[in-house]
Amino acid sequence: MAKQIEGVYENVLRCARQEFLEKGFALASLRDIAKAAGTSTGSIYTRFTDKAGLFRALVEPAAGELKRRFLEIQESFHQFDGQTQQEEMGRYTAHAQEGLFDYIYEHLPEFELLLRRAAGTEYAHYIDELVEIEVSYTYKYMEAVGYPARMEGALTEQLLHIVTTSRFESIFEVIRHGMSRA
């Protein structure tokens, strides 16, 4: 088994982050990343399997953790009875959103890659995954508080999806435009 040189892994990640930020996933070159990192493409393949694996190594820890936190918030909220959910919705949502924003800004380079440079990767539809979670829990909320819109057709799944997507896109738009947390 080949001995791996200390520091190469971290250096490749640093150079890959820069390459992906500059060119996006599709146009990024493993050859250029290897050259900038002072290693070979074979070394990158050994450590990350392929370009998608390298991108995944950069974004998955943050993307997975945000999704985990989001699901935890949803599950925690839906443990309340219907009346408590109705009373606490605004406050709970605002507090949860602040916490998620804090997390995103603590991992800003990863979310810049995820939101601006993930076309062509398994993360290209990350926001859609969050939207689907929100839509499913919105229906649970509606059921818990006795809101009959779904049953009466007043709120179609398509409309709920559109509104929820708009909300997420607006939240992430500040990241895409490089706005500071303040």
Side-chain angles (χ1 to χ4, degrees):
M1 181 175 206
K3 181 181 174 188
Q4 292 195 0
I5 301 169
E6 190 174 330
V8 171
Y9 183 88
E10 295 78 10
N11 198 31
V12 168
L13 287 177
R14 183 182 55 75
C15 294
R17 178 178 289 115
Q18 188 63 39
E19 177 85 359
F20 288 133
L21 280 172
E22 288 176 11
K23 299 178 181 174
F25 176 78
L27 298 177
S29 162
L30 286 182
R31 190 171 294 128
D32 291 346
I33 293 168
K35 183 177 178 183
T39 192
S40 67
T41 55
S43 173
I44 292 174
Y45 283 112
T46 298
R47 288 171 171 82
F48 303 99
T49 309
D50 57 15
K51 187 165 69 167
L54 179 54
F55 191 87
R56 184 180 314 108
L58 288 166
V59 301
E60 177 53 36
E65 179 61 16
L66 182 75
K67 192 185 298 184
R68 186 198 67 74
R69 288 180 184 207
F70 184 55
L71 278 166
E72 185 178 280
I73 289 164
Q74 297 286 355
E75 280 296 317
S76 172
F77 181 74
H78 290 285
Q79 296 304 309
F80 299 138
D81 62 69
Q83 179 159 346
T84 304
Q85 285 186 37
Q86 198 164 17
E87 292 168 359
E88 295 295 320
M89 173 58 92
R91 184 179 18 232
Y92 197 91
T93 301
H95 177 73
Q97 188 169 311
E98 284 292 317
L100 294 176
F101 249 9
D102 288 342
Y103 183 80
I104 290 166
Y105 273 92
E106 289 166 10
H107 300 87
L108 193 55
E110 291 84 356
F111 283 97
E112 287 176 331
L113 285 172
L114 190 66
L115 299 169
R116 295 176 46 232
R117 300 301 194 190
T121 75
E122 65 192 274
Y123 297 94
H125 302 287
Y126 182 74
I127 292 175
D128 293 330
E129 294 172 22
L130 297 176
V131 166
E132 291 305 319
I133 293 167
E134 179 72 18
V135 166
S136 73
Y137 278 94
T138 298
Y139 281 128
K140 290 179 184 183
Y141 169 76
M142 290 166 58
E143 185 177 317
V145 301
Y147 187 74
R150 185 175 191 183
M151 287 61 84
E152 296 174 9
L155 180 63
T156 66
E157 189 164 341
Q158 184 179 28
L159 178 59
L160 181 55
H161 189 273
I162 290 167
V163 170
T164 305
T165 300
S166 296
R167 182 171 166 264
F168 275 96
E169 289 292 344
S170 67
I171 290 169
F172 287 123
E173 196 65 9
V174 298
I175 306 300
R176 288 186 185 110
H177 287 278
M179 294 182 75
S180 72
R181 174 69 172 100

